[in-house]
Amino acid sequence: MAEFVDLETQDGVRMPWNVIPGPKQEAINVVVPVAAIYTPIKHFPSMPILPYSPLRCRTCRSILNPFCIVDFAAKIWICPFCFQRNHFPPHYASISDDNLPAELFPQYTTVEYETPGEPASLVPPVFLFVVDTCVIEEEIGFLRSAISQAVELLAENSLVGLITFGTFVHVHELGFGLVPKTYVFKGSKRCFQGPVT
């Protein structure tokens, strides 16, 4: 149990599983759903700040991390999400088992990138609250209070989203006080990327 607490302290993430099910049959047999509780803006006193851009997967755009499989001889890394084989760029030519970039250190599962020469991002911070409404009324009251407190602590330029789910999934469009907008999705209907109609 201490191992999970240590990992949560290190990364601010809590998950019910330490491994995501691989084959489809394993995913079907899982009783406890795969989920993650993430603590945004968690302060990490020893988090490294890397002075270069992250190395991204060609297919899914995930970032090189300690969970990637690395082939030092072929100078490639395999994405742990989509299993795409990616080549290292020329400035990673000296990579080896003894000469790892910081993002591959096992203790650096959370890092921050600071790209030199590029201005700070103009995109404001984004917070998405995903709420399970299948709980008792008393818990909903506590949750409502906690979300209100969290929203009050956010920066003024923050973007905030709200998704509630129970029998149906409700995507709430915030910012419309007089005429609230909500998109409702039924669990049995398959939705695809694109405009919601």
Side-chain angles (χ1 to χ4, degrees):
M1 185 63 165
E3 180 183 335
F4 291 105
V5 173
D6 293 342
L7 287 174
E8 184 178 348
T9 304
Q10 178 181 333
D11 294 321
V13 178
R14 179 185 300 174
M15 299 181 74
W17 298 101
N18 60 348
V19 176
I20 295 175
K24 187 176 182 179
Q25 190 57 43
E26 274 184 18
I28 291 169
N29 293 338
V30 171
V31 177
V32 177
V34 176
I37 298 173
Y38 178 68
T39 308
I41 311 179
K42 180 172 175 60
H43 178 67
F44 298 106
S46 62
M47 180 172 61
I49 298 175
L50 307 180
Y52 49 87
S53 298
L55 194 56
R56 295 186 175 273
C57 174
R58 288 184 297 160
T59 305
C60 71
R61 308 294 295 156
S62 68
I63 294 174
L64 178 66
N65 62 72
F67 303 105
C68 296
I69 299 168
V70 178
D71 182 349
F72 297 110
K75 303 289 189 229
I76 61 168
W77 61 280
I78 300 171
C79 175
F81 297 105
C82 68
F83 302 110
Q84 172 69 42
R85 297 167 65 89
N86 299 282
H87 292 277
F88 283 106
H91 58 278
Y92 279 78
S94 63
I95 190 172
S96 68
D97 204 14
D98 299 325
N99 186 21
L100 292 175
E103 60 264 40
L104 289 178
F105 289 1
Q107 67 271 23
Y108 289 167
T109 51
T110 299
V111 297
E112 190 169 312
Y113 291 92
E114 189 176 271
T115 309
E118 288 185 16
S121 176
L122 300 176
V123 178
V126 178
F127 298 91
L128 183 62
F129 293 95
V130 182
V131 179
D132 183 357
T133 58
C134 293
V135 294
I136 60 175
E137 191 64 36
E138 183 182 16
E139 286 185 24
I140 289 287
F142 292 135
L143 182 61
R144 188 177 294 129
S145 173
I147 290 176
S148 297
Q149 288 176 359
V151 168
E152 287 175 13
L153 296 173
L154 298 179
E156 195 171 306
N157 66 336
S158 298
L159 300 176
V160 179
L162 175 64
I163 298 175
T164 56
F165 62 95
T167 307
F168 296 96
V169 175
H170 296 80
V171 179
H172 303 273
E173 206 171 299
L174 305 175
F176 297 96
L178 299 174
V179 184
K181 288 184 173 182
T182 303
Y183 299 96
V184 181
F185 298 93
K186 190 174 180 182
S188 61
K189 181 181 176 187
R190 187 173 179 102
C191 297
F192 299 95
Q193 185 177 359
V196 178
T197 55

